[in-house]
Amino acid sequence: MSLLRRLLVQHHFLSNCSARAASSVARQKYDVIVVGGGHAGTEAAAAATRTGAETLLITQKIETIGALSCNPSLGGVGKGQLVKEVDALDGLMGRAGDYAGVHFSILNRRKGPAVWGPRAQLDRGRYKEFIQSELLNMPRLTVIEGSVEGLLVSTADPERPGKHRVTGVRLADGSNEILSSSVVLTTGTFLSGSLFMGKTTSPGGRMGEPPSCAGLTHSLREILGLKLGRLKTGTPPRIVKETVDFSLAQLHLPDSRPTPFSFINTHTHCKPEEQIPCHLTYTTPGVDRVVRESLHMNSHIQQDTKGPRYCPSIESRVLRFPGRQHQVWLEPEGLNSDLLYPQGLSMTMPPEMQLRLIREIPALQRADIRTPGYGVQYDFVCPTQLFPWLQLKSVQGLFLAGQINGTTGYEEAAAQGLWAGVNAGRTALSLPPLSLSRTESYIGVLIDDLVGHGVTEPYRMFTSRAEFRTSLRPDNADLRLTPKGFEEIGCVSSHRYLEAVRVRQGLSEALSALQSVTLSPSRWREKLRDICISETKSTLISGEEMLQYKDVSFNMVASAFPEILSPHVEFSERIKIEAVYRPHCEKQQREMERMREEESLSLPPDIDYFSLPVSLSDEVREILDKARPSTLGAATRLQGVTPAAIVHLLNYVTRTGRRSRAQRETDRRTKIPDWKHRPQTDQQVESNQNQEVGIVLQN
Amino acid sequence: MMLTCCRRSTFLLNREGLRLGFRCASSASSAAEPADTVFALSSGQGRCGVAVVRVSGPAAAGALRSVAGLSCGLPAPRTALLRSIVHPQSKEVLDRGLVLWFPGPHSFTGEDIAEFHIHGGPAVITGVLQALGSLPGLRPAEAGEFTRRAFHAGKLDLTEVEGLGDLIHAETEAQRRQALRQMAGDLGRLYNGWSEQLKRCLAHVEAFIDFSEGDLIEDGVLNQVDIAVPQLQMEIEKHLCDERKGERLRSGVQVVIAGSTNAGKSSLFNILCQRPAAIVSSIAGTTRDVVETSLDIGGFPVLLSDTAGLRDTGDCVEREGVRRARQMVELADLTLVLVDSMQLPQEPQMVSGFLSEYLKNVLPSAKDHEQRCVLILNKSDLLPKEHISMIQNILTQTSDMAPVSILSCHSREGLDSFLTLLQDRLKTLCGDPLAGSPSLTQTRHRAHLQKCVDALNQYYQYRDIDLALAAEGLRLGLSSLGRITGKVGAEDILDVIFRDFCIGK
C-alpha cells in the first residue's frame, strides 16, 4: 500500500507534475522530516533514508535542490577532506562532484598527501541534476515543496534529557501539519535573513527566492528559548563571459588526469580533455578607490555583524590591507554557461558602483554584470546548545545542520547534514545516537569545535584545526569511516562496504609484501640508481623503508621484485603514502587512545553543575555549566577546568554511569513491549515484519 | 530492504557488544596500553627530612636497577633496602637512601612502581629527578597522573578519589603559583618568547598549507621560518647546556683564588674558611700546590681552592704548582682574582688598563670576565684613603670590568661588602633554592625543552619532502613548550594567520 503511494509520489516528480499535488498525497507522518534542500538538507535526507527511516524532505522549490548558491566549486584544502569523508559514509556530495566537475585539480600537490586538497570547478546544472535524480529516486524518501511555518512541540519525554519534544512541522499555507519524532532543520541563511545591496535592504536568504517565514525564527527563539546570534556573508556579481578579455589574465589548467572525489569512482564524468580552464587576474589601485568612494553607500560593510576573516568581501580586503594587489579568480559557471564567477570579488555596494569596480580590472574593463553581488545577514543558533549528534540539548528530536549552526561552505554543511540525518534516522528507529571522534575524522573535529566552543565568525574547516592531521588524510577516509559506517552507524551500502574491505585487505597484503623484501643498501643502490641512500647505513632495508625515501615510488621498488610486488600495483599510490606516514601515525596512537577514552565517558546533559555534590570550585562550576561538555574529553579541552576537577568529574561519571546503565537495562526490558503495542502505521508494520525476517535469515 | 533489516539487527548486537566492550576496555586499557613510565616527587616540596620519589610504569624496574646500582635482580617486593643512589650516566653518587619495589598489579597505580626515599634537600631531589629524567622512556608525571593511573586500573575506592582530587588540587595549585612566580621572571619571559616565536613559525607554515593556493601567500613565508627555526633550536639547546645550576648546587660551586705571588691569596683563603688551613708567609711562592676545602657560604655549597701565585719560575715544583693553578682557573665556576694594591700604577688613570692586563694574564681564555670572576684589591690598609676613593671613581666609570672589591685581609676592612658580593655571585650561579621548588620544575622544564629541540629536528628532516610532516614537528615542539608556558590551541594559530595575511579565499 505505502509502496504504491511512494511510487505514485515519485512518478509525479519524474513526470514533472506539480509538487503541490505531491504534498496532498503525502502521508501525514514520517520517521524523519528534513526542512531545506541545500547541501545540509540533501545529505541529511539521504542519510536518514539510508539508516532505514521513512523520510520527508520539505523544500521551498524542488527546482533549487542541489543548487550551488555561491561559488561553482567543491573541495579544496581541508574542505576536500570533508568531501572525502562524506563520500566514505556514502553521502552524495563526492559522487555529485565527480559527475558535475569540469576542472579537477589537487591543491597542495607539493606539500604532502596529508594536506592535499582535492578540488573541482563544477557545472551548476549538472550538480543539481545529479542530486535531484538521486533524491527523487531514493526509496523511503518523499520530497515535497512547501514552506515550514513553525514546529510542533510538546512536553519532553521525562525519561530523556531535554525540556521540549518536537512532534512535527506546520506548513505555511493551509495549516497543513505533518508529524514526526525527528526533525532536521537546514534552513541556511534563511533564518531572519536580510539581503543587502548598497543602501537597500530586503528580507530573504537568497536573491530571487521568497524569504523564509518568520514563524520558524519565532519557534526557535520564543517558544524553545534558544540563543541565536547573527552573522553575515556575501556573494560576487556574475559576469558575462563573452565581455571578458582573457588575454589579460593568466591561464590556469586543470590536472591532466582528473582524480575523482568518490572512493567508488575510478574516473570522473568529464573526460580529461573536455575539462575547461580557469583564469587569474588581480585588482588595481582603481579598485581600492571605488571601494573607498562607495563606502557611504554600503550599509552591509558598515554593520558590525561578524563576517568571515578568510573569505572577506573585496571591501573588507581593501580596507584591511590597502594598497595591495588582490587575486581574482575567473571561474567558469559550467560547460555551457555564458557566465563567470569572479572569486574574490564578493561585494555589496550599489550595482552601478559594482560595474565601475570590476571595470578597473584590465581583463574586465569591458565586462558586463548579469546579476550584481549582494550581502546576506542571517540568524544562527549558537551551536553550543547542541549534542555532538547535532540534536538540540533542550529539544528532543530536533536536529540542526549547516549554516544555521554558524558554519560556512558547502562541504561543512554537507558533513553536518549527513551526521544530523544519520542521528535523526537512528533516533526515529529507537537506536542510540552516535558521535564521531576528533581522532577519526574532520567531521568529528568540525562538530566538536562547534558544540564545544561555539562560533564567533562563520566557521570554516582548515587542516590546521585537526590535531591528528597526519592520520586523518584524504586518501584514507574510506578506511577510517566506511567499515564503521556499515558495521556501527548503518549509513553505508553493502556495495561500498565490500569495496572498502577489499581495499583494506589489498593494502595490508601489499604492506606485508613490501616488508618481506629486504636488501642491503648497496644492492638497493644498484637497483635504484638515482636514489641516494646514506653511505653509513649498514643494516638491511625493507621495501617499505625504501618507500619512505623522497623520490622512490612503489613501481620503482616493484621493478626490483616484480614477482612479489607486481600483484599489488593497483595500490601503488596509496601504499606509498601509507609507508611514509605509518611511523608518524603510530606515534600519535597513544595520544589518540587517551582522547578516545576520555571521549567515551559521557557527562549527563541535564547535570546541574551548581548543586553537584562533588568538590569543584565555583569558577569551574560556572565554566562547566556554560559550556555543558557532553564528554569528559570535551571538558578537559575547556579553558580553566583543572586536573583536580577532571578527577572529580571522572569519579562522578563512573559512579553515576554504573547506576544509569543498570537503570537503562531495566528500562529496556520494560520498554520493548510498550513499543510493540504502540499504534503503528502500515509502513511500520511492514518494516517490523521485515526486521523479523531479517533476524531469521541471519540465524 | 532485506539488507537494511539485517543491518538493523546487527546494530542491536553491536550495541550490546559496544557496551560490554567498553566495560572491558576501561579496565584493560591501562594495562594493555603501552603506557610510558612517569616519575615525580611524591612527598611535599621544599626542605624536609625525607623525600619520596616515585616511578610508575613498565620501565620502573629498569630505572630502579640502574639508579640503585642493582645489577643482579630486584629487591624483594615491598621490602626496604638501603642503597647508594647513583646517576646512571656519570656514575656520581647522589645520595644514600631506601629503595622499595612494588611490582604491578599490587601497587598504588596497578603498574610496576619503584620508590626512592632520599634526603629531602633540594639539591638531592633535583639530582635524583634529573637522573631519572635521563633514562630512556621516563618522563616527569603530569599533575594528577599517578592518581589517574590508579583510578583507571581500578585501584582506588571511589570515595578515595574525593580526597585525592583535593590533594591534586593542592599540588596543582602549588605548581600553578610556582609557575606563575617563575613565569613573571626572566625565565618566564624567555620561555614565553620562544613560544611566541614558534607559534608564529607554525602559523606561517599552516597558512602556507591551508591558504597558499590561490592566495597571496608566497613561498617567502617559509624562508623566514627556515631562518627562525634553527635559531630557536640553537637558543634552546644553549639554554639546556648552560643550565648547570642544579648540578652546581649538588656538587658545590668551584671557587678558585688566583693571582700573582704575594697578593694575599692564602690569607683570604684562611679568612674564608675561618682557620689557618694554608700556610701564610711574606715569602713569594709559599703556596706551591692546590689547597682545597669545602665550605658553606650563605647556604651555598662551595668548593674553595687556593692556588700557587702565577709567575714564571725556574723551580720545577713551583712550575707544576703554577700549571695546576692555571688548570683550576680553567675549570672554575668563579675566580677570585687577587691583586696586591701596592702594585697598582701611581696614576689613577692607568689603573683600569693595568687591571685588564692583569685579568688577561690570570684568565687568558675567558671572554666574560664580568660573570666569571671577582677582582679583589687587597692590602687596602697600605694605601691612603684619598687614593682608594680615586681608584673607586675610576673603576665605576669603566665598563666591561669585573666586579671589584677593595679590602684588606690584614685589617679586615671591606670584608663584609666582599662577602655580600660573593653571596650574590653564588646566588646567580646556583639559582635560589629557597624560591619555589627548582627541583620539580627544572626537571620538567628540561624534559619538555629537550622534547621541543628534538621535535624541531623533524622540521628540517621533512621540510622538502612533506610539509605536513614538517609542520607536525613544529606542532610537537610547540606543544612541548606549551606544557611549560600554557597550552596553545588551533585558534591561537589561526589568529596569527589572519593577523599576518590577507586571506582571500
Side-chain angles (χ1 to χ4, degrees), chain B residues 133-165:
Chain B
S134 73
L135 291 168
L138 265 70
R139 63 168 174 82
E142 296 295 324
E145 197 166 0
F146 284 105
T147 320
R148 189 136 94 185
R149 287 180 180 218
F151 186 81
H152 279 299
K155 280 284 166 185
L156 288 182
D157 186 312
L158 286 171
T159 52
E160 286 179 56
V161 178
E162 293 289 335
L164 276 158

Side-chain angles (χ1 to χ4, degrees), chain B residues 392-413:
Chain B
Q392 265 166 341
N393 273 341
I394 292 281
L395 289 178
T396 45
Q397 285 158 26
T398 319
S399 55
D400 315 331
M401 181 57 77
V404 181
S405 194
I406 301 175
L407 56 82
S408 158
C409 287
H410 179 70
S411 69
R412 304 220 164 194
E413 202 177 332

Side-chain angles (χ1 to χ4, degrees), chain B residues 10 52 68 313 368 429 504:
Chain B
T10 350
V52 178
T313 167
D368 45 350
L429 285 165

